[in-house]
Amino acid sequence: MVDPTLLLKALVFPTQTLYEALNIRIKDFSEDTEQSKLSVLEEESAKEDIRARVLQNQAKAAQEMAIARRIEDAEEVEIEEYYDISGEGHVGAKASSEGVNLGASAEGRKITKRVIKFKGSKTIQQIYDADQ
């Protein structure tokens, strides 16, 4: 059932009522379009993140292949690698008659070092003699 005060207001002030109704519709429409724009942007952002990770993995693979080729061609190779990526975390809660205590702690450690040195290079004849 229609509220009689709204009906009376519409009869007395038709332009005002129409204006308010249009403002409500416009506001709803703009919120819907902003929400849809936001979801489209979030989707595009997720796609770009995936593309970036794929490109990064391809670059790492290409780098490793280039290093492998240089190792094959070098007369002397010195490789020194250290990798230690570790982390710890703790979360706790304690309840008593006085209250509730919550706590969290975290610890992280990252050690990375990679040194690869190449000295000299084999000539084509040396590689050919080594294969025979």
Side-chain angles (χ1 to χ4, degrees):
M1 182 169 208
V2 179
D3 186 12
T5 57
L6 291 177
L7 186 58
L8 183 61
K9 183 179 175 184
L11 290 172
V12 175
F13 304 107
T15 309
Q16 178 68 24
T17 307
L18 181 61
Y19 175 76
E20 289 172 358
L22 285 174
N23 269 345
I24 290 170
R25 297 288 182 197
I26 290 170
K27 184 179 176 186
D28 290 344
F29 178 75
S30 66
E31 286 176 358
D32 288 345
T33 55
E34 286 175 9
Q35 190 65 24
S36 66
K37 286 180 185 178
L38 183 61
S39 65
V40 168
L41 289 174
E42 287 173 346
E43 185 178 317
E44 287 297 318
S45 175
K47 286 179 184 178
E48 288 300 319
D49 286 344
I50 292 169
R51 284 187 194 115
R53 278 187 264 150
V54 167
L55 289 174
Q56 187 177 24
N57 288 337
Q58 288 175 346
K60 286 180 182 179
Q63 180 183 14
E64 292 298 321
M65 290 300 296
I67 290 171
R69 282 190 213 104
R70 296 266 322 263
I71 289 171
E72 265 184 12
D73 189 41
E75 286 185 14
E76 187 179 328
V77 178
E78 181 183 327
I79 298 175
E80 188 176 332
E81 292 183 326
Y82 305 98
Y83 293 98
D84 180 17
I85 300 173
S86 59
E88 263 184 57
H90 303 281
V91 177
K94 180 180 176 184
S96 66
S97 61
E98 289 125 18
V100 176
N101 292 326
L102 298 173
S105 67
E107 178 183 329
R109 190 172 110 186
K110 181 179 180 180
I111 299 171
T112 58
K113 180 178 181 177
R114 184 175 192 179
V115 177
I116 302 174
K117 296 180 182 179
F118 303 100
K119 294 182 182 174
S121 65
K122 298 177 185 175
T123 62
I124 295 173
Q125 185 63 39
Q126 287 175 327
I127 294 171
Y128 179 75
D129 289 342
D131 289 340
Q132 289 182 355

